[in-house]
Structure formats: structure tokens, C-alpha cells
Amino acid sequence: MIQSTLSIIKPDGTQRNLIGKIVSRFEEEGFEIAAMEKRQLSLREVEGFYAEHKGRGFFEELTTYMSSGPVVVMVLRGENAIDRNRQIMGATNPKDAAEGTLRKLYAQDIGMNTVHGSDSPAAAEREIGYFFPKTAIF
Ligand code: CMP
């Protein structure tokens, strides 16, 4: 099934000039980049995006970090894009990430873990809509 999913290259990825490598990997894996924008997110925007994590111990660290520098937000489209993107990213904690995954290759720790990806069809729909109007997705 062709799906769309939201991907974010986090501040540690943009700061280390990893945008090209990460986007190349997604294209090599057969995804289309259906939308893409480099953005400096405000604390409010990040708090809204990660609202489901509100109240968890890492929420403040997460939102401060994600608003600390520019990110790249993207819509990836392809066969089983939601699960396949999660496999390509690897486990949230790079210590647990499989060889060859983006987080194994590039992530520094569970917070600075280089990429985000939607974890379900409902999340993908919400997260894509959070950043992109339908008219900006091609
Ligand atoms: P992400 O896929 O962007 O979704 C939520 C983020 O919270 C996650 O990646 C991690 O980078 C971050 N995070 C920080 N600490 C933790 C933690 N202890 N457990 C889960 N996620 C964490």
C-alpha cells in the first residue's frame, strides 16, 4: 500500500551537514520526497507537535532540543512508507539500533537521535497536516 509519512531531520542532523546523506538514503530506498522544508521551529510549535508526550520526564528536554536549531521537515511517499521509514531509522535509542540504520550510523543519544518518523497511519496524517497544507505536497 502506498503511504505517506512525516520525517524530520533533527537539529543534530542539520548541524552536522547530514541533510544530503539522509535525503539520499530515503531516495535510494525508493521513497519520493513529496514535500520538504528547512524550518526553525518555535518552542510552541514543537510542544504542539509532540503533545502526546506532554507530562513525560523527557518532554522539556525534547522540546528545548527540537527548537534549538533548524530542522528539515519532509513528507516521504512510498510502499509501506510508515513502517519502512521506521525500519530505516532504527530504534529510538541508537544503542539499540540495528546496523545500517540511520540512527546507528548518525545518532548521538536518545535525544539527539537525528531523525523522527511518524509511528502509525493516524500519527502520519496528523503530523503531515501539522507542517504542510495539502497544496504543498506533490
Ligand atoms: P522521536 O521519534 O522524535 O519521538 C519522541 C522523542 O523523544 C524521541 O524520538 C527521542 O528523541 C526523545 N526522547 C528523549 N528521551 C526519551 C526517552 N527517555 N524515551 C523516549 N524518547 C525519548
Side-chain angles (χ1 to χ4, degrees):
M1 191 201 347
I2 300 291
Q3 293 178 323
S4 295
T5 190
L6 188 87
S7 170
I8 304 179
I9 303 176
K10 297 189 179 189
D12 64 284
T14 62
Q15 197 187 3
R16 289 180 293 151
N17 287 344
L18 294 170
I19 296 171
K21 285 197 173 76
I22 293 169
V23 173
S24 286
R25 174 69 178 272
F26 288 141
E27 291 194 326
E28 282 160 10
E29 296 278 357
F31 292 138
E32 282 178 75
I33 311 298
M36 178 161 63
E37 190 176 10
K38 192 175 190 185
R39 293 268 306 266
Q40 169 66 57
L41 302 177
S42 68
L43 184 60
R44 285 274 167 87
E45 280 177 297
V46 174
E47 285 172 348
F49 181 76
Y50 281 119
E52 66 174 303
H53 295 304
K54 200 164 178 182
R56 298 182 71 175
F58 58 85
F59 187 71
E60 192 180 341
E61 183 187 322
L62 170 64
T63 53
T64 302
Y65 168 60
M66 288 296 288
S67 57
S68 69
V71 300
V72 175
V73 289
M74 285 176 279
V75 178
L76 307 179
R77 188 193 298 123
E79 190 64 31
N80 288 324
I82 297 167
D83 280 349
R84 228 150 50 74
N85 180 41
R86 289 173 64 75
Q87 286 165 17
I88 293 162
M89 290 193 298
T92 304
N93 189 337
K95 287 188 188 129
D96 304 325
E99 283 304 321
T101 61
L102 291 172
R103 285 168 171 159
K104 179 73 175 184
L105 287 167
Y106 303 126
Q108 293 165 298
D109 58 44
I110 195 169
M112 293 188 189
N113 64 352
T114 315
V115 282
H116 164 84
S118 311
D119 66 3
S120 67
E125 191 175 344
R126 184 186 79 81
E127 293 180 2
I128 290 168
Y130 195 83
F131 287 116
F132 295 104
K134 286 207 163 58
T135 51
I137 302 170
F138 301 97

